[in-house]
Amino acid sequence: MKLINDFYHIVASDESGEKSVYKVKLNAVHDIYSVHFPGNPVTPGVCLVQMATEILEQKFDKRLVLSTAVNIKFKRLVAPTDEPSFVFSKLVMEDDLLKALISIEDEQGQFVKMSLQFKTID
């Protein structure tokens, strides 16, 4: 299930330099937040991974499937009122494998740090 343009929207992007940065706005009234967790909504980790996947699919114009989550560290909770930025600092494409170092952050610091590997689908 795609989350882009429903659960979140990309509001800004910067492709300059060695990093790609995508700022997103979360849909605070989305059904996901009514169950995760009522009264104290938190963005599910699986949604953050899916969002990173969708942003990379858009960036490379390729369909991707997560093949390996090398490392995922959750440092702070992402609330629906946050406007996090997805920072892609190392992107390496080798044949049909994309390796990505991703940081989800805002002005106060890092929410999540991920090292993921994706297979491309034709």
Side-chain angles (χ1 to χ4, degrees), residues 24-76:
V24 302
K25 179 160 181 57
L26 301 170
N27 178 0
V29 296
H30 196 277
D31 288 342
I32 288 173
Y33 290 119
S34 67
V35 295
H36 199 270
F37 297 97
N40 190 23
V42 175
T43 306
V46 68
C47 291
L48 296 170
V49 172
Q50 179 64 24
M51 291 164 67
T53 304
E54 290 177 10
I55 293 168
L56 287 171
E57 285 181 328
Q58 182 174 302
K59 176 179 174 52
F60 288 101
D61 194 26
K62 292 185 181 285
R63 289 191 47 224
L64 300 173
V65 173
L66 180 65
S67 62
T68 306
V70 178
N71 193 11
I72 302 177
K73 290 186 180 181
F74 295 94
K75 298 181 174 190
R76 293 176 27 224

